[in-house]
């Protein structure tokens, strides 16, 4: 995955995560060099009701003939294995155990149907979160602009907080 570490920066994602996270008392935030696949896997994410990813979403074959769609995390200085290679693929996600969380994928093309047969209109990436036990997902079927996504996610999460996640 050598080209993953050369993707263009997303200038508004850090602000998106900070502004969204202040809405909640209990949170765990992974940003920058801490946002590695290994750190995510070591997090007890089942302590949280919402998982919010603000990053690049890639579809199969978009970079270096990727076989699975996935989310780009921080590329480690020394990739240790497929478990910490800077890419959380749909196959990696399907092996996780979620506990009914809402998953927000603030990333491009996270719902693009790349031939998935089980869920019409959803990608293998979207399906992998549902298969792993997520209750709901918020995804996009198109490329998104970082600044617009940040505004949308802040308002969306503010609404969830105000309604106590009842909608």
């Amino acid at each position: 995955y050598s080209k993953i570490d050369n993707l263009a920066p997303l200038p508004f994602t850090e602000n998106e995560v900070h502004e969204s996270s202040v809405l909640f008392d209990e949170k765990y935030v992974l940003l920058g060099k801490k946002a590695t696949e290994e750190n995510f896997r070591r997090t007890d994410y089942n302590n949280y009701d919402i998982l919010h990813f603000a990053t690049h979403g890639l579809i199969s074959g978009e970079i270096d003939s990727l076989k699975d769609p996935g989310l780009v995390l921080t590329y480690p200085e020394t990739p240790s294995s497929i478990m910490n290679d800077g890419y959380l693929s749909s196959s990696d996600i399907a092996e996780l155990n979620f506990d009914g969380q809402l998953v927000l994928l603030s990333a491009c093309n996270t719902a693009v149907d790349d031939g998935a047969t089980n869920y019409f209109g959803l990608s293998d990436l979207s399906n992998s979160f549902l298969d792993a036990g997520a209750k709901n997902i918020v995804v996009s079927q198109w490329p998104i602009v970082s600044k617009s996504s940040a505004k949308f996610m802040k308002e969306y999460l503010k609404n969830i907080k105000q309604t106590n996640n009842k909608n």
Side-chain angles (χ1 to χ4, degrees), residues 29-99:
V29 178
L30 295 172
L31 287 172
K33 292 187 183 233
K34 292 183 179 181
T36 64
E37 183 178 3
E38 182 177 10
N39 285 344
F40 172 71
R41 289 174 177 276
R42 290 182 182 201
T43 301
D44 190 357
Y45 41 78
N46 286 323
N47 286 333
Y48 306 99
D49 294 329
I50 300 171
L51 300 177
H52 178 181
F53 293 88
T55 186
H56 286 285
L58 300 178
I59 58 176
S60 301
E62 189 170 352
I63 290 182
D64 288 346
S65 302
L66 291 174
K67 293 181 182 176
D68 293 331
L71 300 173
V72 176
L73 298 177
T74 298
Y75 193 78
E77 290 181 21
T78 309
S80 56
S81 69
I82 197 162
M83 302 296 271
N84 193 33
D85 60 6
Y87 190 65
L88 190 62
S89 72
S90 59
S91 298
D92 295 335
I93 294 160
E95 294 173 359
L96 302 174
N97 269 326
F98 296 120
D99 188 23

Side-chain angles (χ1 to χ4, degrees), residues 4 29 37 99 115 124 154-155:
I4 287 178
V29 178
E37 183 178 3
D99 188 23
D124 286 343
K154 180 182 176 187
E155 291 304 313

Side-chain angles (χ1 to χ4, degrees), residues 4-161:
I4 287 178
D5 58 333
N6 291 321
L7 290 169
L10 298 170
F12 296 95
T13 56
E14 185 172 344
N15 188 44
E16 173 183 341
V17 172
H18 277 301
E19 287 190 15
S20 298
S21 70
V22 298
L23 297 170
F24 300 93
D25 296 330
E26 294 195 32
K27 59 195 165 249
Y28 183 66
V29 178
L30 295 172
L31 287 172
K33 292 187 183 233
K34 292 183 179 181
T36 64
E37 183 178 3
E38 182 177 10
N39 285 344
F40 172 71
R41 289 174 177 276
R42 290 182 182 201
T43 301
D44 190 357
Y45 41 78
N46 286 323
N47 286 333
Y48 306 99
D49 294 329
I50 300 171
L51 300 177
H52 178 181
F53 293 88
T55 186
H56 286 285
L58 300 178
I59 58 176
S60 301
E62 189 170 352
I63 290 182
D64 288 346
S65 302
L66 291 174
K67 293 181 182 176
D68 293 331
L71 300 173
V72 176
L73 298 177
T74 298
Y75 193 78
E77 290 181 21
T78 309
S80 56
S81 69
I82 197 162
M83 302 296 271
N84 193 33
D85 60 6
Y87 190 65
L88 190 62
S89 72
S90 59
S91 298
D92 295 335
I93 294 160
E95 294 173 359
L96 302 174
N97 269 326
F98 296 120
D99 188 23
Q101 288 91 341
L102 166 63
V103 175
L104 306 174
L105 302 181
S106 182
C108 294
N109 302 318
T110 52
V112 172
D113 182 4
D114 56 357
T117 56
N118 296 333
Y119 306 89
F120 179 73
L122 292 178
S123 70
D124 286 343
L125 177 59
S126 302
N127 295 335
S128 65
F129 280 99
L130 295 172
D131 290 342
K135 182 178 179 183
N136 295 300
I137 56 172
V138 174
V139 293
S140 68
Q141 291 190 315
W142 53 83
I144 56 177
V145 177
S146 181
K147 187 174 185 177
S148 300
S149 176
K151 286 180 181 180
F152 173 81
M153 284 299 170
K154 180 182 176 187
E155 291 304 313
Y156 185 79
L157 286 165
K158 190 186 299 183
N159 183 55
I160 286 175
K161 177 73 173 176

